[in-house]
Amino acid sequence: MPKRLSVIDVDHCVGCQVCMFACTRRLGLGGLAKSSIHVRSDGGIRKGFIVIVCRACADPPCARVCPTDALTVRDGGGVKFHAERCIGCYNCVEACPFGAALWNEEEGKPQICVYCGYCARYCPYDVIALEEVSHATQ
Amino acid sequence: MLLNEPLNRVLYIDLTRRTSWVERRPELFAEGLGGTGAGIRLLEEECPAGADPLGPDNPIIFAVGPLVGLYPLASKTVAMFKSPHTGNLGESHAGGRSATSIRLAGFGAVVIRGASTMPIYLVIEDDRVSFRDASALWGTRSSYTTGSVLRRREPGSGSRTIMRIGRAGERQVSYACVITETYRHFGRLGLGAVFGSKQLKAIVIAGKHSLEVADRKAYRQAYDAIFKKATESELMKKYHELGTPKNVLPLDAIGGLPTRNLQAGRFEGAEAISGENLAENYLGRRVACAHCPTACIHLAALRIPYPNDPYFYKTLMLGYDHEPIYATGSMLELDDVSGMLRLMDEVEIQGLDVMSAGVALAWATEALEHGLISTEETDGLELAFGDAETYIAATQRIVEQPTDFYAALARGVDHAASIYGGEEFALAFGGNEMPGYHTGPACHVGWLAGARHSHLDNAGYSLDQKAAQKGETLTPEGVARALVEEEQWRQVLTSLVICLFARNVYDEQTVCDALTAIGHEVTPEGLRALGADILRRKVAFKLREGFTFEGLRLPERIFETPAPAGDFDAEFVRQAIARYAALAGDET
C-alpha cells in the first residue's frame, strides 16, 4: 500500500517547525526552501498551529490543473512530481485547498511531498505520522 | 542555495533616506562568528562615541549566527544598540522565529540607521525592503493589535518574524521592549525606546532559503547527535516540563526569591505562583521557538468574567516564565494568580520590560510607604504590596506619564531614586533593574559587573547556590574568576546564537563538530580566545560611553536581606567587581 503523511494530533503541535527543517535536511541541506510540509500559526500563536501536509488525494486537483503533466497521479493516491516537465505556472499551488502544494522560491517550482516520512521521525510530539493510504476512510 | 552566503551578507537600512543596500562582509563573521561577536563589531563601526541613544545616530543591529537554520536550538537573534536605559551597551536577545527568518531571508545581520520623520514599519522579504506607513498603527492601545494587523496584512506566515513595539516604545520609556511572535521579547535595556525614537513601529522579515553545507553526511550526523541530546537526555528536561518557573519553589525554600522589593527572600504566596501550580491549574498551551524541540514557552489560559455581563468571559493566553513571575508576583507580593497574570498582560499590552516594570512598581510602593512621595506624585494611586488593580493602573501611567513622578519612573528606579530618594532600596544594578534571584554575593556582582547587567551574562546565582549547597565560602577573587570565565564562554554561545537554555547541549566539542560539518574549522582554544575578545570589546564600548566599574551604585538592601550563600558586604562586592574589571578587561 502507498503511504502518506497524516496529521494525527494538531493540538499537540508546539510550532517548533522541526519537521520543516527535517524535510529540507533529508537532501543534506539546511534551511527551508525544499520543505514540503509547512507549519504556521492559526491566526496568531495564542490560537495554536496549522500543519499543512499533502493528503495524497485519490483524484488530486493539483495534478488535474497541471498543463504539462509535471504532476502525475501515484498508484493508490497522491502525486509524483516531474521537475523537468514543470513550467512553474503555479496552477497546482492555487488548486490545492490545503495549500499543500508549497512553492520553492529558489527553483520557481512547486515543492511536493514524496511521502518519505523523514519529517515524522523528528516530530517530538507525535503530531504527524506516515500512514498507509486508505481512501475509504478519507 | 547559498554556501555560507547569507552570513556574509549584511542588510543596511537607512530610515532617514528610506533606502537600503546589501554589503558582503565575510570578515565580520569569520572573525566574530555572528550574533554577539559580529554585533559588537558592527556597533563599534556604527555607533559614534557619545551618541544620543534616542537620536538618529544610534544604530539598531540584529545579528544571527552560522548554526541558524541548520541545527536545533540555535534560535536567537542578538540585538545591539546603545541603551537609553543605562547609557552604554545595549544588547538584548530574542527567539521566536526571528533568527531563522533573518538568516533564511539571506542575511547574517541587519543594520538600521537614521530615523524616520513619520511612523513607519519595515517589510523585508529576501532582498526587497519596503517602507510602509505606520501612522494608523501608532498610538494603538495594545501591542497585540499591531501583531494582529501585520499578521493579516503582510506575507510569509510561518516563515517570518514580526517585531513590534507597544505604546511604551512609542513614548520612549527607557525600558520599553520589542515583542516578537507575541511571546518572545528583546526585553531588556530599552530597544523598544530606540525603535520609538526612530518612529519605527515594527519590522517584518520573511524568508525560506536553503543552506548548503560542506559535508552533507557529516552535517546530518552532527544534527542527529545534537537532536538526540536535546530530546532524549535530561539536559533540557527542566525547560521542557515546568519551564523556568520550576525555579520559584526551590529559590523560595532557600530564601533567595526576592519578595516585597527584596525586603525578604521568602514569599508566603510562593506556592500559588509556582511553576507547579501554574502548570496544574492554568497551563493552556506550550509553544516553541523555530527549530527548538523543547517548547519551553508556557502559556497560561486565564478566564476572566465580565463583571456586568453574566455568563460572559474572555480568555487570555499569557506567556509566563520565572522572571515575569518574580517581577509581578513575589516582588509585589501578588499571590493572587489572576491579578499577577493580569498585571503581566498589562505589561505586554504596553510593551514594557517586565523585570524593570515590576522593580519600578516595587520601589514606588516603598517610596510611598516611606513618605518620599505622596499620592500627588502617584496621580492618586495608593500603591500597596498585594494590590494588583492599582499596579495595573500604575503600569499604564508609567507609559502615559501624567505626572513628573511617572516620567521619572519611566526612566528606571536609578533615575527616579536620584530625584526622590530611596536609593538604598532602588534595586537597579548598573542602571538595570534586578532579576529574580537573591542568592548571595555572586548574583549581585554578576549583574553589577556583567556587560549587560543581566542574570544571563554569567549566572552568578548558580555560583551562590552551589556554594550554599556545599557549605563553601565564596571569595571575591573566586567569584570574579568564575563569573568572567562563564561570561567569556557565553560570548561564544551567543555569537552562535545558541539559546542559553541549551548551553549544556552545546559543549565545546559539540560546537566544534557542528561547525566543522558545515565548513567552519574552529578549535576549542580558538573559541575561548574569541569569547575573551568579545567580552573585552563589550567592556571597552561601555567604558568609552562613560561607564565605570568604580561608579557602580550598590543598593544597601542587598546586604540587609539574608541570602542563602551567607552574609556579604559592600567591601566583598567592590573587591569582586575590581577583579572582574581586571580579568574581563585588559588582563586576559
Side-chain angles (χ1 to χ4, degrees), chain A residues 14 16-18 21 25-33 38-40 43-44 46-49 106 122 124-125, chain B residues 1 69-70 151 157-158 183 208-212 216 219-220 223-224 227 240 286-288 291-294 315:
Chain A
V14 299
C16 68
Q17 305 184 320
V18 163
F21 286 97
R25 196 175 61 258
R26 87 201 131 90
L27 303 167
L29 301 170
L32 292 172
H38 193 69
V39 178
R40 63 176 180 81
R46 66 181 290 270
K47 296 178 182 166
F49 299 95
E106 291 181 351
Y122 288 88
Y125 301 99
Chain B
M1 202 157 30
L70 286 155
R151 194 179 299 131
S157 177
Y183 296 112
K208 51 189 296 189
H209 276 288
S210 59
L211 302 164
E212 184 58 279
R216 293 183 179 195
Y219 161 54
R220 297 215 302 195
Y223 186 100
D224 286 345
F227 192 78
H240 174 68
R286 297 258 310 275
V287 300
H291 217 168
C292 171
T294 305
T315 303

Side-chain angles (χ1 to χ4, degrees), chain A residues 2-55:
Chain A
K3 294 190 186 301
R4 70 165 182 187
L5 197 64
S6 291
V7 180
I8 305 295
D9 184 1
V10 72
D11 292 314
H12 207 177
C13 179
V14 299
C16 68
Q17 305 184 320
V18 163
C19 55
M20 290 166 61
F21 286 97
C23 190
T24 291
R25 196 175 61 258
R26 87 201 131 90
L27 303 167
L29 301 170
L32 292 172
K34 295 177 189 302
S35 295
S36 310
I37 178 169
H38 193 69
V39 178
R40 63 176 180 81
S41 81
D42 191 3
I45 287 170
R46 66 181 290 270
K47 296 178 182 166
F49 299 95
I50 295 172
V51 180
I52 299 166
V53 300
C54 174
R55 326 180 57 234

Side-chain angles (χ1 to χ4, degrees), chain B residues 176-230:
Chain B
C177 72
V178 172
I179 301 163
T180 183
E181 285 69 85
T182 312
Y183 296 112
R184 298 291 90 185
H185 308 82
F186 294 97
R188 310 230 70 191
L189 299 173
L191 181 61
V194 181
F195 267 53
S197 73
K198 298 182 182 307
Q199 298 201 60
L200 177 59
K201 182 69 180 168
I203 308 176
V204 182
I205 307 175
K208 51 189 296 189
H209 276 288
S210 59
L211 302 164
E212 184 58 279
V213 300
D215 180 339
R216 293 183 179 195
K217 196 173 162 210
Y219 161 54
R220 297 215 302 195
Q221 281 171 351
Y223 186 100
D224 286 345
I226 293 166
F227 192 78
K228 200 169 152 58
K229 234 162 124 182

Side-chain angles (χ1 to χ4, degrees), chain B residues 440-524:
Chain B
C443 73
H444 296 291
V445 173
W447 55 63
L448 279 160
R452 300 193 277 148
H453 305 292
S454 159
H455 61 297
L456 294 172
D457 279 333
N458 44 42
Y461 58 88
S462 172
L463 281 183
D464 288 329
Q465 283 167 277
K466 282 178 190 152
Q469 270 165 15
K470 293 179 189 166
E472 289 171 1
T473 306
L474 292 164
T475 63
E477 177 71 21
V479 165
R481 282 198 178 277
L483 291 177
V484 170
E485 192 184 330
E486 180 68 21
E487 192 162 343
Q488 287 173 336
W489 174 245
R490 287 185 179 215
Q491 305 313 304
V492 175
L493 295 176
T494 59
S495 296
L496 296 167
V497 298
I498 291 164
C499 176
L500 287 173
F501 293 170
R503 59 190 177 274
N504 296 321
V505 172
Y506 280 95
D507 54 42
E508 272 184 0
Q509 194 54 52
T510 304
V511 166
C512 291
D513 292 347
L515 284 168
T516 303
I518 59 172
H520 294 258
E521 292 295 340
V522 292
T523 61

